[in-house]
Amino acid sequence: MKISGASSGKKNSPPNGGLFSCITRVYTFFAFFILLPLPQQMEEQMKNYDNQSFRDFEYIPGTDAWGRAAQFQNYHDDQVAKGQLNYRLMTTSGCGPVVEVAGKQVISLVSNDYLGFTQHPAVKQAAIDAISKYGTGAGASPAIGGHYDYHEIMERKIAGFFRKEHAIIYTTGYTANSASLQCILTKNDLVILDAGVHTSVMEGCQQFNRKTVKHNDLAAYEHTLKLAQGKHPLILVIIDGVYSQDGDIAPLKEIVALCKKYGAKIMVDDAHGTGVVGSTGRGLIETCDAWDDVDLISGTFSKTFGHIGGYVVGSKDIITYLKYQSKQHLFSASSTPAALSIIKAIELIDEEPFWMTKLQENICYFKTGLSALDLNIGNTQSAIFPVRVGDKIKNARICHTMQEMGVYANQINYPAVSMKDARIRMGITALHEQSHLDKVLNVWSDIKKQFDL
């Protein structure tokens, strides 16, 4: 009877049949993906777009730029349809505390026009007068015909504003950082970056030896400086005065002391501190009285100064060197005549200090209101207010809901911040009225309940 049992087919069954079957299924699964072309594997994995970020489309193995663009378009359309990609919204009015988006009036918290100078009558008139005199463009790069008297005036004004000898003007604030650093650094130098510096700084340093230290961690700064001491022709520490995502400030005095101790130079990007921090709006360097301690100051004309462009301020020697060696400056067309409005904006910071006073009042009022709601705004000490949410999908939905409720704020997700540190970023200006801020606080009160913050 065992023979009849054997004839049932069990005779040929392998031992541990359950285990064998499991192994077979696993093998088949992996074989499918091994045999599947790599780009198709990536496409399968990326179908759940909620788990993706912009960075996932920077490089996809086996896919060229057009293939990546096609996949990114699918991601873009999916996230827009879900109300989770709240970027590049079209505004049909000028900068101001209230703007028009999609035909609707909303309170704007997305502008860095801290003192409201984009709308100041004297600033606008300066641009109009300059266009009437010079036309609409410079016509050439600065070395070969595009250097005008108004460029010289701008350079002197911004250098004097920061109590330095000379300045170089770039056509964007981003380029002021990236281009100057690409010119200054060599392969033998070392640059030490705070983890919170702007992307423009990171890009300027990406081809060179660099160490990134934990944000505002003085022990990490000292450890890195101590290890590097005497090993490089140049050790350059780069920090922000006010950090663009957290709104906090650098421990400048302590970092200056460390740089002196270990023989490093220091560069401060105070784009978000100018017009906001310091008794006369000259940023963190003014607060710390570190004029003689900082080697380079960089910034932008697109925030407090109400225009576009960037600058680097320093000694005569280093600025002259940049003017003839920084390729993006040397081979780019110069700033347009409308940039004369910048000169007026620089003057207004001293002539009309009440704009800074109003801004500080708004900052204090708004910070008190957000703190009363027990929202996580970190250690902001500026006009930048981040409300930390954490989860990026919740963050995106909050941003979309706020827009529907009449408040236009920024959705900040990875890679602008770390993966689990998504936040809503808001900027306060001198033109906001208390009624605007009250409405925003009321919206946050509702958002907190709706999203269980």
Side-chain angles (χ1 to χ4, degrees), residues 372-384:
L373 290 170
D374 199 27
L375 294 166
N376 183 0
I377 59 173
N379 188 34
T380 181
Q381 299 174 64
S382 65
I384 298 166

Side-chain angles (χ1 to χ4, degrees), residues 160-220:
F161 184 82
F162 287 111
R163 302 183 187 177
K164 293 291 184 183
E165 292 182 76
H166 289 271
I168 179 173
I169 305 299
Y170 289 87
T171 50
T172 69
Y174 191 103
T175 313
N177 279 332
S178 62
S180 63
L181 289 168
Q182 288 167 10
C183 178
I184 289 168
L185 297 170
T186 72
K187 64 180 181 180
N188 297 318
D189 298 327
L190 175 68
V191 59
I192 299 173
L193 308 176
D194 189 280
V197 296
H198 194 264
T199 302
S200 57
V201 172
M202 295 182 182
E203 181 175 309
C205 302
Q206 65 183 355
Q207 301 298 323
F208 304 102
N209 298 318
R210 65 174 183 174
K211 299 288 185 181
T212 302
V213 300
K214 185 179 178 182
H215 179 51
N216 279 349
D217 188 329
L218 291 172

Side-chain angles (χ1 to χ4, degrees), residues 2 8 20 35 41-42 139 160-161 165 204 210 215 264 320 357 376 378 384 402 406 429 450:
K2 289 180 181 179
S8 67
F20 179 81
L35 293 173
Q41 292 180 38
M42 297 295 293
F161 184 82
E165 292 182 76
R210 65 174 183 174
H215 179 51
T320 301
T357 301
N376 183 0
I384 298 166
M402 290 180 73
T429 77
Q450 184 176 340

Side-chain angles (χ1 to χ4, degrees), residues 108-178:
S108 173
L109 301 172
V110 298
S111 173
N112 299 312
D113 183 21
Y114 292 125
L115 300 182
F117 284 174
T118 64
Q119 304 304 316
H120 195 292
V123 174
K124 292 195 287 187
Q125 191 61 50
I128 293 167
D129 292 344
I131 291 173
S132 296
K133 179 178 179 179
Y134 295 95
T136 59
S141 59
I144 53 171
H147 188 62
Y148 289 80
D149 56 350
Y150 64 86
H151 295 121
E152 290 274 354
I153 299 169
M154 286 169 60
E155 290 170 357
R156 290 197 298 270
K157 279 285 186 181
I158 197 64
F161 184 82
F162 287 111
R163 302 183 187 177
K164 293 291 184 183
E165 292 182 76
H166 289 271
I168 179 173
I169 305 299
Y170 289 87
T171 50
T172 69
Y174 191 103
T175 313
N177 279 332
S178 62

Side-chain angles (χ1 to χ4, degrees), residues 79 82-87 245 376 385-403 409-414 416-426 444 447 451 453:
Q79 295 295 288
K82 294 175 179 176
Q84 294 173 185
L85 198 70
N86 303 291
Y87 303 114
Q245 296 303 334
N376 183 0
F385 288 88
V387 174
R388 286 176 165 82
V389 176
D391 179 76
K392 72 166 192 172
I393 300 303
K394 179 187 283 191
N395 193 57
R397 290 171 180 165
I398 288 173
C399 186
H400 186 72
T401 302
M402 290 180 73
Q403 289 167 18
N410 278 320
Q411 163 193 344
I412 306 296
N413 288 352
Y414 177 82
V417 292
S418 60
M419 189 70 76
K420 296 181 180 180
D421 198 23
R423 78 276 300 271
I424 300 297
R425 182 187 183 277
M426 300 172 288
W444 270 114
I447 290 289
F451 288 90
L453 294 180

